Amino acid sequence: MIFCVIIIALDIFALWTGAIKQPKIKSEISEPLLIDFKTDFKERIKSALPDESEGLALGYLLGDKSELGTSLKEIIAAVGLTHLIVASGAHLGIILNFTKKSFGKISRLAGLLAALFAVGLFIGIIGLTPSALRAGLVAALSLLATYFGRDLKPGRLVLYAATATILINPLYPINLSWLLSFASFTAILMLAPELERYFYGPDKKPSTFASLLVASLSATLLTAPILLFYFGQLSLISVVANLLISPTLAFTMLFTFLTGILPNFITATLAHLLVQYHINVASFLFEQTAFLINIDKNNPLVFLIYLPVLAGFIFLKCSSR
């Protein structure tokens, strides 16, 4: 933990002072088969979806922001949705849930092997990006711990994944995808459960809407300083954006995936309608300038927001005990 904190602090200080610049970490996967598959897959989606929809659809499914227009990138960043277009645990979780349910009916071992294969395929297609690597490590550790009956604490899971990725590349902590991936992951895995336990007690389970609201609020709290640091803009109603868009994310990814496998009018239309809905929601909220925070970029003081968040988390932990 101390190692991670020191590396992250040094990276942020060096970035702030200009000693280093934000690196553009590219994929390290070079298997021709995987690259060809990804290229063909993208082309099929691009040929089936309109120009405005294809960029965001590919961002959701592959964590690929290269097809997004500049204005749409700014809108998504301002309303706090950037963490949805990095290849993260949410994307991999959807894939793993389907895999485990399908192959787990055969045997526990079949479910484990199929899920691990899905993790490898996911990283192989996406590439060794910071967010995909984090998602893959966490998924593999969780799958193995569950299979062997081990109770892997959320805090340890976050720490192991952070340490492993930083050892691979010490500059990951100043990469936007890495930061957003870990922030949203930590929020959903650690902060959201404590909020639910505090408001509903240890025995009562909140409704689906309440769980989604808590998860959106948690993700917004932990990603806000990062978005302010890198973009200098954030909407105070970003929780609303997450609340309106997150429930349909899995369906959007599913229809986009099916369109990429076998282009057809039905799934392409459904994917386009959902993506267009997301764009309209984000654009509408972005236009509510009264709720928009604007500050100078690359100001490390925004990370002081984490101090009251940390204090609140400690209070929640003590209250639950």
Side-chain angles (χ1 to χ4, degrees), residues 50-56 68 72 275-276 279:
D51 291 342
E52 191 177 28
S53 300
E54 67 179 41
L56 190 54
L68 281 174
L72 186 55
V275 172
Q276 195 58 51
I279 293 173

Side-chain angles (χ1 to χ4, degrees), residues 212-224:
L212 183 60
L213 178 61
V214 170
S216 298
L217 177 62
S218 302
T220 299
L221 282 174
L222 293 195
T223 57

Side-chain angles (χ1 to χ4, degrees), residues 98-297:
F98 174 78
T99 306
K100 288 171 67 178
K101 286 181 180 179
S102 300
F103 290 90
K105 296 176 182 178
I106 302 173
S107 69
R108 289 182 67 245
L109 181 59
L112 172 67
L113 294 177
L116 289 175
F117 175 77
V119 171
L121 187 62
F122 175 81
I123 295 177
I125 294 173
I126 301 297
L128 282 177
T129 61
S131 55
L133 181 60
R134 192 280 304 163
L137 283 171
V138 168
L141 286 172
S142 301
L143 288 168
L144 291 170
T146 302
Y147 181 78
F148 291 106
R150 300 290 183 180
D151 183 18
L152 197 57
K153 301 293 184 183
R156 291 184 179 180
L157 191 57
V158 172
L159 184 60
Y160 293 158
T163 304
T165 51
I166 289 174
L167 285 172
I168 292 171
N169 191 328
L171 294 181
Y172 272 160
I174 57 171
N175 179 273
L176 180 60
S177 295
W178 189 93
L179 288 169
L180 288 174
S181 178
F182 264 97
S184 56
F185 170 66
T186 304
I188 293 171
L189 201 64
M190 297 181 66
L191 182 57
E194 292 300 331
L195 285 170
E196 288 183 1
R197 193 176 295 114
Y198 178 77
F199 288 109
Y200 289 90
D203 301 322
K204 187 178 178 182
K205 196 171 182 179
S207 65
T208 302
F209 177 80
S211 294
L212 183 60
L213 178 61
V214 170
S216 298
L217 177 62
S218 302
T220 299
L221 282 174
L222 293 195
T223 57
I226 300 168
L227 294 172
L228 286 170
F229 181 81
Y230 280 92
F231 299 103
Q233 268 190 341
L234 183 68
S235 174
L236 291 175
I237 50 178
S238 57
V239 174
V240 178
N242 280 275
L243 199 60
L244 292 173
I245 289 175
S246 295
T248 60
L249 181 60
F251 296 104
T252 308
M253 291 175 60
L254 173 62
F255 294 138
T256 304
F257 174 76
L258 293 175
T259 302
I261 294 296
L262 183 63
N264 63 88
F265 175 77
I266 295 176
T267 58
T269 301
L270 291 171
H272 168 63
L273 289 174
L274 286 171
V275 172
Q276 195 58 51
Y277 161 71
H278 295 178
I279 293 173
N280 291 340
V281 168
S283 300
F284 174 77
L285 294 177
F286 178 74
E287 291 170 0
Q288 312 309 307
T289 53
F291 298 95
L292 201 62
I293 300 174
N294 286 285
I295 64 170
D296 293 332
K297 295 180 183 179

